[in-house]
Amino acid sequence: MITMDLEAQKRAAAARALEFVRPGMRLGLGSGSTAKHFVELLAQRVRTGLEVIAVPTSEATRSDAERLGIALTNLDEAPELDLTVDGADEIAPDLSLIKGGGGALLREKIVASASLRMIVIADESKWVSSLGRFPLPVEVVPFGLAATRRAVEAAAADMGCAGPALLRRAKDGHAFVTDGGHWILDAAFERIPDPRSLAERLDGIAGVIEHGLFVGLAHAARELLLALGLAFAVGAGAAAQQPSANAIATAKEVITAKGAGALYSPLVSGVIERTKTVLLQSNPMLGKDLNEVAAKLHAEYASRSAEILTEVAKLYASRFTEQELKDTLAFYKSPLGRKLVAEEPIILDQSMKTAQTWAEGFSQEIMSKIRGEMKKRGHDI
């Protein structure tokens, strides 16, 4: 059920992003499961007469777009794009992103930087209080891998990021190869305290081609918009089942009790700081005034985070009865529920590291097994 809900959110976010597309636009087409929804919906519009031309960010997206009849070009022929629509693996309150889970981070960043506007489409699971739980992809050249990996881990450690950088492997056990012919290190840092500083350190490492930290993207793309499946799924659910005020209030308590409210409270301050940073980049002499204005806005808009909590509560209230919400709240207020809230983040972080370590060992086992079986058939690979 959760997967279906998230897929519905992705589809709704893609549909919302499609509303920004106008005839004659030069589009950047993102990669990944959420962006795939946008490509499919765009193709439907193209079949009804919409004329656009697009630059894909991966060979997989290129294949989908060609199959669906979307006209394609490249950045040599269209060096400036009107709009790019792409997904994200994590979105922090300051709108910094982790991307590259599908391996297309280099082309995604190039296309985003060439765009006048970018829309990031995502479901609610991609919002995090700080980046890092999703392993950070770092695209590297194969030559000197061990030295590059050591440098990446050392730079991260200096930035307060602990965790290994593991070589991503394909299904056959060999190193995953990007569309550009590079390899990827997935860095399990758990938490990245200062994404901008880490990005700068990674940029300076010989052997690193690109990384999945999209910091300052709003400035690079001139305008960053977020089409959240969550917001539009809420609207659709409310139309089908109008939740009562009591149900919404109980849902708010559930969200707070399970600790999820902490994900939304930093959004207001994050947006203010992100906007201030963008303006500072083009107006460095106005730092004092911009800081004072930002401080004023922090105080003025602090209560606005409650609006986000209300919208999320409506989502819960449209999918659970009031009694179910009360039962859920009772659980989270119980000793066992409080223990779950306290321990689950730690378990999730540790389980991710455990799974990655296990997968790397298992891939070697499978590689050995396949080679052994192939050798029996006369193939020494």
Side-chain angles (χ1 to χ4, degrees), residues 33-53:
S33 61
T34 309
K36 187 179 180 70
H37 284 293
F38 177 78
V39 173
E40 292 172 352
L41 293 174
L42 176 64
Q44 293 177 11
R45 288 279 306 278
V46 168
R47 286 194 291 271
T48 61
L50 176 68
E51 293 186 2
V52 294
I53 193 165

Side-chain angles (χ1 to χ4, degrees), residues 222-246:
R222 296 177 176 82
E223 183 176 359
L224 173 66
L225 302 175
L226 294 169
L228 297 176
L230 169 63
F232 307 107
V234 168
Q241 175 186 340
Q242 292 290 345
S244 67
N246 286 339

Side-chain angles (χ1 to χ4, degrees), residues 224-305:
L224 173 66
L225 302 175
L226 294 169
L228 297 176
L230 169 63
F232 307 107
V234 168
Q241 175 186 340
Q242 292 290 345
S244 67
N246 286 339
I248 294 173
T250 305
K252 287 183 180 180
E253 290 189 72
V254 170
I255 294 168
T256 302
K258 66 186 291 189
L263 294 176
Y264 313 119
S265 56
L267 284 175
V268 171
S269 60
V271 170
I272 293 171
E273 286 301 308
R274 178 75 228 130
T275 305
K276 182 189 75 175
T277 299
V278 170
L279 293 173
L280 272 172
Q281 290 174 342
S282 54
N283 302 277
M285 302 301 292
L286 301 180
K288 180 177 180 296
D289 288 336
L290 283 170
N291 283 328
E292 290 176 355
V293 170
K296 178 182 178 182
L297 293 181
H298 279 300
E300 183 177 346
Y301 289 102
S303 62
R304 292 291 296 274
S305 61

